[in-house]
Amino acid sequence: MEFTAKQIADMIGGRVEGDEQAQINTFAKIEEGRKGAISFLSNPKYTPYIYETQSSVVLINEDVELTQPVSCTLIRVKNAYESVAKLLQLYASMMPKKTGIDPLAFVSKSAQIGENVYIAPFAFIGENVKIGDGSRIFPHVTIYDGCQIGKNVTIHAGSVIGADGFGFAPTASGYDKIPQIGIVVIEDDVEIGANTCVDRSTMGQTVIHKGVKLDNLVQIAHNCEVGANTVMSAQVGLAGSTKVGEWCMFGGQVGLAGHLTVGDHVNLGGQSGVTGNVKSNQTLIGSPVMEPGVFFKAAAIMKRLPDMYKEISALRKELEELKKTK
Amino acid sequence: MEFTAKQIADMIGGRVEGDEQAQINTFAKIEEGRKGAISFLSNPKYTPYIYETQSSVVLINEDVELTQPVSCTLIRVKNAYESVAKLLQLYASMMPKKTGIDPLAFVSKSAQIGENVYIAPFAFIGENVKIGDGSRIFPHVTIYDGCQIGKNVTIHAGSVIGADGFGFAPTASGYDKIPQIGIVVIEDDVEIGANTCVDRSTMGQTVIHKGVKLDNLVQIAHNCEVGANTVMSAQVGLAGSTKVGEWCMFGGQVGLAGHLTVGDHVNLGGQSGVTGNVKSNQTLIGSPVMEPGVFFKAAAIMKRLPDMYKEISALRKELEELKKTK
Amino acid sequence: MEFTAKQIADMIGGRVEGDEQAQINTFAKIEEGRKGAISFLSNPKYTPYIYETQSSVVLINEDVELTQPVSCTLIRVKNAYESVAKLLQLYASMMPKKTGIDPLAFVSKSAQIGENVYIAPFAFIGENVKIGDGSRIFPHVTIYDGCQIGKNVTIHAGSVIGADGFGFAPTASGYDKIPQIGIVVIEDDVEIGANTCVDRSTMGQTVIHKGVKLDNLVQIAHNCEVGANTVMSAQVGLAGSTKVGEWCMFGGQVGLAGHLTVGDHVNLGGQSGVTGNVKSNQTLIGSPVMEPGVFFKAAAIMKRLPDMYKEISALRKELEELKKTK
């Protein structure tokens, strides 16, 4: 597919500066630009590249003032990042979409598969699983018996939905398994990354609500509930029975203890460790978590702890001297 | 299957309060109760639900006093949690168990598979692998050549047993691989979660002893040894050659450095980082680890570090003033 | 294969002490030695085992002085660890190597596969993927469409190359997916462990340069770049667009925030958390990272924080007393 700068500008409501007939047929990062490519400039850190880029066209915010002439054609837009996202979506919507059940997939006879579903080679769909319309299941995904997947759900390669929750009862000689007879429910519009695990419930359901996005290598334990539109970065782990609200954002490698309740719109910085309930509308970081202002100050002072320790000893000594000589 | 409250009470040594003929055919969480379901009340936090639950029967501890009438039938037992675990085990034991090697599994000709083993579609069993009686290997599990799996072992989807340990020798131009010619031995009654990795040894064996339970996404490096009945939560990582004793419990995301020795009955809190040997019978938390009492006090004071820092400076200044005026 | 002590000594330039005709046919750890095995002694901690080992031959450094007679034959070498690595490499090079595409692998018709490549059962190779000569792709590896794998690359079981980067744009009602139309490029001589994820770029390439070694369960996000000969231990996570230099070494469970630049020869201790750029030739540890000397001192003093807090309060009180009595 080939488009002119003018055609692109019309699609996204932008204004061309330069050659309206400039031809583009691909995307490129501005620092890796090449003839025929469209790039974008959003982060000011990358501004110097606009004077050297080989890309034919660059999307740029209306209000950016350039101090030198450029050889590329510009398309001025309100928000270059949003515009490129929109163009990528248009581009992706024009690509042919794979649908259908690949003959190399394993789909149980009792599974109910919706319309326009893609199930890749080596995907495993257990008994009585339901998968809604338009969902895409990539290679090596395992969906255990009885789990329910909504519409327009994407599950990337290697993720495991509905393995047994980690429940054992200690005895004198070892552990007895507590059977996990519940299921996992994944609602509509959820995207799950690669090699992520969502365990089935002991009884009832582990629920991933509508619009949730889970990155790679995430662990969601049995009986958890993740609220609508919550986003979790890679390697996050939730222990059993923890409930997370809507519109939360968790950075990478965050860990939450079990049986907690986290409110809506909670942001947790990377590597945070949460051991108690969290109210809505908070941003926290650290292990255990605290407010970011406090965390970064405390973290900076951590390095001075040895000096502080020495100074306290010195103060004590000098104070005792002073007391004596009084 | 349908049972009466009386039949259930007889199975677990309980006493019915209410309708002995109440029919149940499924389990439900007390807060998601429905007609025909049995629920349990163990955690006092959930007590309010017993007055509203739609479940037909609820297991409850003998000594719980209810302050209002309930519409469900109660079965009074010594320990409601243990009783429900027992019922779940009875229930699971009545379910048909899958056995046999699925035609879509890959099992090397030289592998030795015991009796009543289940090997799922897309499981990969390498050359000269041994799998003991009654073990269950779920989809997308990879067992590399030569590894030995005991009896009644469960390995959930996507786990990898016996990939090469991470061993490389630096040279001037890059790294030379140190071949990993050892194996992994997994003893009887071990359960391994989904997408967990246990690496083969450089030489000799990486050993997971009898009754160990590993959750999802756990990393056990080459030459490690995990003692009998030790339990590790999700995303725990052991570096190479570390030996962990028996009956330990590690919380999620714990990390242990290499070449360490950890004793028996050691409990580590979530996200702990262990860089030295640990003696038996200790509970530790933090990175680096310390005693929980100290950790939680220190963590609480962390937030006051900036104030402490200022106060020390103020004390210094005032002390110097005082010295002058003396 | 069977060799004499003399033959082994000749291969690695060592000197035999004892029976030159001692036969060996396998390797064993010194503490698990047995007749017919060769072991090595490198770590002084293991010295006592040399007096009891059942191994027929032991590699030992030239300069180690033994205080008692030994029953095994010794081969004296300059560096026992390097010598055993060399022997293991010789041994591995004599083993037959699997090559070819297993009939149970899925390889797209448009994929270009080099010579002497091994592709295991249940590996998935997407459209237009290129795999260079001599590379080995283990079971359950997924390589998404368009990704490029160099020569002599090893990818262990369950790893996922080229799943979508984690990019979403918030809207009033949820998140819109930002299509990820870039690829992953893995250069020559890279080894990737089991269940590791390398995400495709939004546009352009996520690049793993020549000679990089990634352990198991590692997360490399979209648009990242990992420099030549950098080594990352298990469960490390890089957020999006972060660039890491050459010859770095990251311990287990390290996390890096997005859009960072890390120089060459940077060492990060286990569980480090990096939130800013890092210059070359540094060793750091902690979350946030600091110099190891400072970190270990500060960590040791952490435990005394409660006492420090009390002491500061006491100093304040006593100072106020002193002021009054002046």
Side-chain angles (χ1 to χ4, degrees):
Chain A
M1 285 171 292
E2 191 138 305
F3 297 91
T4 64
K6 180 73 170 60
Q7 286 172 317
I8 298 289
D10 289 349
M11 284 181 206
I12 56 175
R15 183 171 49 80
V16 177
E17 281 181 22
D19 178 8
E20 290 200 336
Q21 298 310 314
Q23 298 280 320
I24 66 155
N25 53 40
T26 188
F27 292 84
K29 296 184 208 169
I30 192 165
E31 69 272 29
E32 298 171 352
R34 59 183 186 278
K35 198 165 156 17
I38 184 166
S39 296
F40 75 104
L41 174 61
S42 173
N43 187 334
K45 199 168 94 173
Y46 290 82
T47 305
Y49 288 110
I50 202 165
Y51 304 111
E52 329 168 340
T53 188
Q54 301 298 311
S55 286
S56 301
V57 178
V58 176
L59 292 171
I60 185 169
N61 287 354
E62 278 168 0
D63 56 0
V64 176
E65 291 181 27
L66 299 182
T67 56
Q68 304 169 37
V70 297
S71 59
C72 56
T73 293
L74 302 178
I75 300 179
R76 293 285 189 170
V77 290
K78 217 165 178 175
N79 183 321
Y81 184 71
E82 282 183 11
S83 292
V84 79
K86 199 177 159 189
L87 277 183
L88 285 165
Q89 285 156 9
L90 282 168
Y91 177 82
S93 71
M94 289 185 286
M95 295 284 106
K97 277 238 163 141
K98 284 178 191 158
T99 56
I101 299 175
D102 191 278
L104 289 180
F106 175 90
V107 179
S108 297
K109 282 181 190 164
S110 57
Q112 297 174 44
I113 312 297
E115 295 188 5
N116 296 314
V117 167
Y118 171 60
I119 301 184
F122 309 135
F124 174 93
I125 313 296
E127 294 177 16
N128 300 308
V129 166
K130 290 181 195 170
I131 299 182
D133 298 348
S135 288
R136 297 184 305 153
I137 310 296
F138 282 92
H140 305 121
V141 167
T142 301
I143 305 181
Y144 277 68
D145 295 353
C147 294
Q148 299 174 11
I149 313 295
K151 294 178 187 174
N152 301 311
V153 169
T154 298
I155 305 180
H156 280 285
S159 284
V160 178
I161 309 300
D164 283 352
F166 197 62
F168 300 92
T171 71
S173 63
Y175 285 88
D176 277 353
K177 183 174 178 68
I178 299 178
Q180 306 287 308
I181 66 167
I183 63 168
V184 174
V185 174
I186 294 180
E187 296 185 351
D188 299 347
D189 303 324
V190 168
E191 181 154 343
I192 293 179
N195 285 346
T196 277
C197 300
V198 183
D199 278 356
R200 69 196 308 111
S201 193
T202 310
M203 56 183 79
Q205 309 172 344
T206 303
V207 186
I208 309 295
H209 284 288
K210 191 171 154 49
V212 165
K213 312 298 177 191
L214 303 180
D215 200 352
N216 304 335
L217 295 163
V218 168
Q219 155 72 359
I220 307 291
H222 53 173
N223 311 318
C224 283
E225 192 174 338
V226 179
N229 299 312
T230 278
V231 173
M232 297 188 187
S233 300
Q235 297 172 322
V236 164
L238 264 62
S241 300
T242 281
K243 316 278 184 216
V244 174
E246 302 185 354
W247 289 102
C248 295
M249 296 186 72
F250 293 180
Q253 299 182 335
V254 163
L256 282 83
H259 297 276
L260 301 183
T261 301
V262 174
D264 300 331
H265 298 277
V266 170
N267 295 333
L268 298 175
Q271 295 189 327
S272 290
V274 181
T275 56
N277 294 339
V278 179
K279 289 184 185 155
S280 292
N281 302 306
Q282 293 197 72
T283 296
L284 299 171
I285 187 169
S287 180
V289 286
M290 53 190 92
E291 290 178 13
V294 178
F295 174 78
F296 287 108
K297 268 189 213 159
I301 289 174
M302 266 293 283
K303 303 176 190 176
R304 300 186 199 157
L305 263 186
D307 290 336
M308 284 169 69
Y309 188 77
K310 272 184 218 156
E311 176 70 349
I312 290 169
S313 301
L315 284 168
R316 163 59 62 201
K317 201 174 155 194
E318 290 167 44
L319 190 69
E320 296 303 327
E321 290 291 323
L322 212 60
K323 277 183 188 170
K324 270 185 225 158
T325 62
K326 200 171 46 114
Chain B
M1 284 171 295
E2 191 139 306
F3 296 91
T4 64
K6 179 71 170 61
Q7 284 171 319
I8 298 290
D10 289 349
M11 285 181 205
I12 56 176
R15 182 170 51 79
V16 178
E17 282 180 21
D19 178 8
E20 291 199 335
Q21 298 309 314
Q23 297 280 320
I24 65 155
N25 53 40
T26 189
F27 292 84
K29 295 185 208 167
I30 193 167
E31 69 272 29
E32 298 171 350
R34 58 183 186 277
K35 197 165 158 15
I38 185 166
S39 296
F40 74 105
L41 173 62
S42 173
N43 186 332
K45 199 167 93 173
Y46 290 82
T47 305
Y49 288 110
I50 203 165
Y51 305 111
E52 327 167 343
T53 188
Q54 300 298 312
S55 285
S56 301
V57 177
V58 176
L59 292 171
I60 186 169
N61 287 355
E62 278 168 1
D63 56 1
V64 176
E65 289 181 28
L66 300 181
T67 55
Q68 303 169 36
V70 296
S71 60
C72 58
T73 293
L74 302 177
I75 300 180
R76 292 286 189 169
V77 290
K78 216 165 180 175
N79 183 322
Y81 184 71
E82 282 181 12
S83 292
V84 78
K86 199 176 160 190
L87 277 185
L88 284 166
Q89 285 157 7
L90 282 169
Y91 176 83
S93 71
M94 288 184 286
M95 295 285 105
K97 278 241 163 139
K98 285 177 192 161
T99 57
I101 300 174
D102 191 279
L104 290 180
F106 175 90
V107 179
S108 296
K109 282 181 189 163
S110 56
Q112 296 175 45
I113 311 298
E115 296 189 3
N116 295 314
V117 166
Y118 171 61
I119 301 183
F122 309 134
F124 174 92
I125 313 296
E127 293 176 16
N128 300 309
V129 166
K130 290 181 193 169
I131 299 182
D133 298 346
S135 288
R136 298 183 306 152
I137 311 296
F138 282 92
H140 306 121
V141 167
T142 301
I143 304 181
Y144 277 69
D145 294 353
C147 294
Q148 299 174 11
I149 312 295
K151 294 179 187 173
N152 300 312
V153 169
T154 299
I155 305 179
H156 281 284
S159 283
V160 178
I161 309 301
D164 283 353
F166 197 62
F168 301 93
T171 72
S173 62
Y175 285 88
D176 278 353
K177 183 175 177 69
I178 299 179
Q180 307 287 307
I181 65 167
I183 61 167
V184 174
V185 173
I186 294 181
E187 295 185 352
D188 299 347
D189 303 324
V190 168
E191 181 155 343
I192 293 179
N195 286 345
T196 277
C197 300
V198 184
D199 278 356
R200 69 195 309 111
S201 194
T202 311
M203 55 184 80
Q205 309 172 343
T206 303
V207 186
I208 309 295
H209 284 289
K210 190 172 154 51
V212 165
K213 312 296 176 191
L214 304 179
D215 200 352
N216 303 335
L217 296 162
V218 168
Q219 155 71 358
I220 306 291
H222 53 173
N223 311 318
C224 283
E225 192 173 340
V226 179
N229 300 313
T230 277
V231 173
M232 297 188 187
S233 300
Q235 299 172 320
V236 164
L238 264 62
S241 300
T242 281
K243 316 276 184 217
V244 174
E246 303 185 352
W247 289 102
C248 295
M249 296 186 73
F250 293 180
Q253 300 181 334
V254 164
L256 282 81
H259 296 275
L260 301 182
T261 301
V262 173
D264 300 331
H265 297 278
V266 170
N267 295 332
L268 298 174
Q271 296 189 326
S272 290
V274 181
T275 57
N277 294 340
V278 179
K279 289 186 185 155
S280 292
N281 302 307
Q282 293 197 70
T283 296
L284 298 170
I285 186 169
S287 179
V289 286
M290 53 190 93
E291 289 178 13
V294 177
F295 174 78
F296 287 108
K297 268 190 214 159
I301 289 173
M302 266 293 283
K303 303 177 191 177
R304 300 186 199 158
L305 263 186
D307 291 336
M308 285 169 69
Y309 188 77
K310 274 184 217 157
E311 176 70 349
I312 290 170
S313 300
L315 285 168
R316 164 58 61 198
K317 201 173 153 194
E318 291 168 42
L319 190 69
E320 296 303 327
E321 290 290 325
L322 212 60
K323 277 183 187 171
K324 272 185 224 160
T325 62
K326 201 171 47 113
Chain C
M1 285 171 295
E2 190 139 305
F3 297 91
T4 65
K6 180 72 170 59
Q7 286 171 317
I8 297 290
D10 289 348
M11 286 181 207
I12 55 176
R15 182 170 50 79
V16 177
E17 281 181 22
D19 178 8
E20 290 199 336
Q21 298 310 314
Q23 298 280 319
I24 65 155
N25 53 40
T26 189
F27 293 84
K29 295 185 209 169
I30 192 166
E31 70 272 30
E32 299 171 351
R34 56 182 187 278
K35 197 164 159 17
I38 184 166
S39 296
F40 74 105
L41 174 61
S42 172
N43 186 333
K45 199 169 93 172
Y46 290 81
T47 305
Y49 288 110
I50 203 166
Y51 304 112
E52 328 168 343
T53 187
Q54 300 298 310
S55 286
S56 301
V57 177
V58 176
L59 293 170
I60 185 169
N61 288 353
E62 279 168 359
D63 57 0
V64 176
E65 290 182 29
L66 299 182
T67 55
Q68 303 170 36
V70 296
S71 60
C72 57
T73 292
L74 302 177
I75 299 180
R76 292 286 189 169
V77 290
K78 216 166 180 175
N79 183 321
Y81 184 71
E82 282 182 11
S83 293
V84 78
K86 200 176 160 189
L87 276 185
L88 285 166
Q89 285 157 8
L90 282 169
Y91 175 83
S93 71
M94 288 185 286
M95 293 286 105
K97 276 238 165 144
K98 284 176 193 162
T99 56
I101 299 174
D102 191 280
L104 290 180
F106 174 91
V107 178
S108 296
K109 281 180 190 165
S110 57
Q112 297 174 44
I113 311 297
E115 295 190 2
N116 296 314
V117 167
Y118 171 60
I119 302 184
F122 309 134
F124 173 93
I125 314 296
E127 293 176 17
N128 299 308
V129 166
K130 290 181 194 170
I131 300 182
D133 298 347
S135 289
R136 298 183 305 152
I137 311 296
F138 282 92
H140 305 120
V141 167
T142 300
I143 305 181
Y144 277 69
D145 294 354
C147 294
Q148 299 174 11
I149 312 296
K151 294 178 188 175
N152 301 312
V153 169
T154 299
I155 306 180
H156 280 285
S159 283
V160 178
I161 310 301
D164 283 353
F166 197 62
F168 300 92
T171 71
S173 63
Y175 285 88
D176 278 354
K177 181 173 179 72
I178 299 179
Q180 307 288 307
I181 67 167
I183 62 167
V184 174
V185 174
I186 294 181
E187 296 186 351
D188 299 347
D189 303 325
V190 168
E191 181 155 343
I192 293 179
N195 286 346
T196 277
C197 299
V198 184
D199 278 356
R200 71 196 306 112
S201 194
T202 310
M203 54 183 81
Q205 307 173 343
T206 303
V207 186
I208 309 295
H209 284 289
K210 191 171 153 51
V212 165
K213 312 297 177 192
L214 303 180
D215 200 352
N216 303 335
L217 296 163
V218 169
Q219 155 71 359
I220 307 291
H222 54 173
N223 312 316
C224 283
E225 192 173 339
V226 179
N229 299 313
T230 278
V231 173
M232 298 188 187
S233 301
Q235 297 172 321
V236 164
L238 264 62
S241 299
T242 281
K243 317 279 184 214
V244 174
E246 302 186 352
W247 289 103
C248 295
M249 296 186 71
F250 294 179
Q253 300 182 333
V254 164
L256 282 83
H259 296 275
L260 302 182
T261 301
V262 173
D264 300 332
H265 298 278
V266 170
N267 296 332
L268 297 175
Q271 296 189 325
S272 289
V274 181
T275 56
N277 293 339
V278 180
K279 288 184 186 155
S280 292
N281 302 307
Q282 293 196 71
T283 296
L284 298 170
I285 186 169
S287 181
V289 285
M290 52 190 94
E291 289 177 14
V294 178
F295 174 78
F296 287 108
K297 267 188 212 158
I301 288 173
M302 267 292 282
K303 304 177 191 176
R304 300 186 199 158
L305 263 186
D307 291 337
M308 284 169 70
Y309 188 77
K310 272 183 218 157
E311 176 69 349
I312 290 170
S313 301
L315 285 168
R316 165 58 61 199
K317 201 174 154 193
E318 290 168 43
L319 190 69
E320 296 304 327
E321 291 288 326
L322 213 58
K323 278 181 187 173
K324 270 185 227 159
T325 62
K326 200 173 43 115

